[in-house]
Amino acid sequence: MLKAIIVDDEYMTRKGLLEYIDWKAAAIQVVGEATDGIEGIELAERVKPDLAICDVRMPRLDGIQMAKEIRKKLPNCSVIFLSGYSDTEYLKSAIKLKATDYIEKPFNLTEFQELIVKTAQAIRVDRQRRVEEQRRTIKLQKGMLYFKNSIVSLTRRFFIV
């Protein structure tokens, strides 16, 4: 099961997402919530989420800065930004961070549900790709070691006779 956190200074948004989104349909467990970016970073460090859903504008530390800090420690954590504002600078920052999506409030719950399911699937595909990549790297390293040992063995035969 994937883990998600919700970071938003609006109580109703956090509770609405918890209550009205079918997290089980996406095989996601919401493992925590926070009210600002600083709490969000602390929460992410503690629970290591696969997905962070966060407001863009929050007190103390905004969602963009929070996501940058989370990505430093958890580079594979996907981020979905929520915003009650049409701010192109925040949108540009979200694009630079390679956010999964940027949604303006109020949003349609059905569309958000679809996004959560789609995002969960993308996270799983990416995770599987990384596992396969690690397997190939290990296999390549073993092959290189075998090749190196073979060359050393052949070299010894030709020069230590």
Side-chain angles (χ1 to χ4, degrees):
M1 183 159 286
L2 299 178
K3 296 185 291 186
I5 61 173
I6 299 172
V7 185
D8 197 308
D9 59 321
E10 294 178 17
Y11 174 83
M12 293 306 291
T13 299
R14 290 193 319 275
K15 295 307 172 196
L17 288 173
L18 286 171
E19 188 173 332
Y20 296 111
I21 297 300
D22 183 3
W23 299 99
K24 288 182 180 165
I28 293 176
Q29 178 183 7
V30 178
V31 293
E33 53 184 288
T35 60
D36 64 43
I38 292 172
E39 284 181 17
I41 291 168
E42 292 167 356
L43 178 62
E45 288 173 345
R46 202 169 52 251
V47 301
K48 312 249 183 301
D50 301 291
L51 173 62
I53 300 163
C54 60
D55 191 7
V56 173
R57 290 190 185 183
M58 295 181 288
R60 298 200 309 159
L61 186 68
D62 69 39
I64 300 292
Q65 292 305 313
M66 181 199 77
K68 284 180 185 176
E69 291 302 313
I70 289 174
R71 282 277 178 82
K72 286 179 188 175
K73 295 170 175 94
L74 303 167
N76 297 313
C77 181
S78 294
V79 179
I80 295 175
F81 287 109
L82 308 174
S83 180
Y85 306 91
S86 296
D87 191 324
T88 56
E89 288 308 309
Y90 281 125
L91 182 56
K92 286 178 187 177
S93 296
I95 291 168
K96 286 180 186 175
L97 274 170
K98 297 180 182 168
T100 301
D101 215 320
Y102 186 100
I103 300 171
E104 287 186 21
K105 297 177 191 174
F107 48 84
N108 179 297
L109 287 173
T110 303
E111 289 175 14
F112 193 80
Q113 178 73 49
E114 291 169 2
L115 173 62
I116 292 298
V117 170
K118 181 181 83 171
T119 300
Q121 182 60 28
I123 291 169
R124 287 185 185 88
V125 167
D126 185 56
R127 183 182 282 174
Q128 185 61 37
R129 181 195 54 76
R130 287 193 316 271
V131 166
E132 291 299 323
E133 196 173 281
Q134 280 182 320
R135 286 183 187 147
R136 283 193 301 272
T137 300
I138 290 168
K139 198 173 187 179
L140 181 62
Q141 289 170 341
K142 285 180 180 178
M144 293 297 286
L145 182 60
Y146 175 78
F147 181 70
K148 179 181 172 187
N149 289 338
S150 297
I151 290 176
V152 169
S153 178
L154 285 172
T155 305
R156 284 186 182 149
R157 273 194 210 157
F158 287 114
F159 295 108
I160 306 178
V161 178

